Amino acid sequence: MVRIPEHVAIIMDGNGRWAQSHGRRRTYGHYIGSKVVDDITKAAVEFKIKYLTLYTFSTENWKRPKSEVRFLMGLLKSSLKKKRKLFKDNNVRFNVIGDVSVFDEIIQNLLMQLMDETKDNEAVVLTLALNYGGKLDILRAAKTIAKRVEDGELSSKDINEKLFEAHLYTANMPDVDLLIRTGGEKRISNFLLWQAAYAEFVFFDKYWPEFTKEDLWQAIEEFSQRKRRFGGL
Ligand code: IPE
Ligand code: IPE
Ligand code: MG
């Protein structure tokens, strides 16, 4: 019997290298990669994964050439505009983590609309990590808690794991069970640092635009065979 992880998080890496290996511009890889997101969202519903979290744009990705960042923002806008039907037909609840206040108003409005329209859907919670960094997430929680202590709402004695987690972007989400990274690199790149503390990692050498539903299933099968001890015996 296969055990389905409740929360799958994916570092969708390798778009640029995939495109270049086909003699195309990096941006073409992002375009094809954005289509794979839809296939994997549907597969998550089919496999009964409850939470799917996709690393879409990191707090470090602003370091890229302006032209690539501009392309990614345009792609985000145009693909968000097309998501309504996918979410409705597949009963997907849409969610975002990260500091989206830096995005243009049109993107922010699209994000809010999609979250609001899908809030009663229950097949899967699809979370896009946008301008997300694990360090940002933890620092932001620490600052919010510090402010609440300053304001006398909380005492420093009240700070524990549960309280801390409630101040992360992922409040109300379970920890990551399975973390997948495509594109051959074996690192976390500032993704869900706190939430992946006991995640099982599965790496793929293939690039994100080549990732399929069958690959996702293979990762789940591999997850299923791992013995998770959480520090116990
Ligand atoms: C992942 O693919 C997408 C983003 C980080 C936005 P990359 O753009 O990192 O592609 P590679 O890793 O350079 O091939
Ligand atoms: C991680 O990929 C970020 C996303 C997939 C959004 P990167 O390509 O930015 O990571 P590094 O630079 O290889 O660590
Ligand atoms: Mg990369």
Side-chain angles (χ1 to χ4, degrees), residues 4-9 48-53 93 95 97 124-127 132 137 165-166 168-179 191-199 223 228 230:
I4 303 294
E6 188 182 14
H7 186 177
V8 176
K48 298 197 160 44
I49 293 166
K50 281 286 162 207
Y51 295 85
L52 176 68
T53 303
R93 178 170 181 176
N95 181 40
I97 55 174
V124 67
V125 178
L126 169 70
T127 301
Y132 178 85
D137 198 355
E165 282 168 353
L168 292 169
Y169 282 119
T170 50
N172 303 318
M173 286 166 71
D175 276 350
V176 177
D177 297 300
L178 169 61
L179 190 126
F191 197 23
L192 298 157
L193 297 178
W194 174 292
Q195 300 86 343
Y198 268 104
F223 167 84
R228 301 182 83 191
F230 299 97

Side-chain angles (χ1 to χ4, degrees), residues 213-227:
K213 166 179 155 182
E214 288 72 28
D215 295 322
L216 177 61
W217 186 252
Q218 190 194 312
I220 291 171
E221 283 186 320
E222 162 123 28
F223 167 84
S224 221
Q225 284 160 17
R226 303 265 179 97
K227 285 225 162 22

Side-chain angles (χ1 to χ4, degrees), residues 32-44 52 54 79 82-83 86-87 90 126 208:
I32 299 297
S34 76
K35 304 207 167 294
V36 174
V37 167
D38 292 5
D39 298 339
I40 296 307
T41 301
K42 288 185 218 160
L52 176 68
L54 303 176
S79 57
K82 286 181 249 163
K83 292 283 188 258
L86 174 83
F87 294 168
N90 294 280
L126 169 70
W208 177 251

Side-chain angles (χ1 to χ4, degrees), residues 12-18 26 30 56-57 61 64 68 72 207:
M12 309 184 289
D13 196 24
N15 289 347
R17 281 168 290 158
W18 176 81
R26 290 180 51 84
H30 294 313
T56 307
F57 194 86
N61 287 147
R64 296 186 176 201
E68 181 161 337
L72 286 167
Y207 300 131

Side-chain angles (χ1 to χ4, degrees), residues 30-39 41-42 71-90 92 94 106-107 109-111 113-114 117-118 126 128:
H30 294 313
Y31 173 69
I32 299 297
S34 76
K35 304 207 167 294
V36 174
V37 167
D38 292 5
D39 298 339
T41 301
K42 288 185 218 160
F71 180 88
L72 286 167
M73 293 305 137
L75 180 62
L76 177 63
K77 201 180 293 178
S78 62
S79 57
L80 287 172
K81 282 183 184 157
K82 286 181 249 163
K83 292 283 188 258
R84 188 170 282 142
K85 185 170 158 49
L86 174 83
F87 294 168
K88 188 166 188 286
D89 292 352
N90 294 280
V92 175
F94 179 68
I106 299 175
I107 293 181
N109 287 338
L110 281 166
L111 294 170
Q113 266 171 33
L114 286 171
E117 278 171 22
T118 63
L126 169 70
L128 295 189

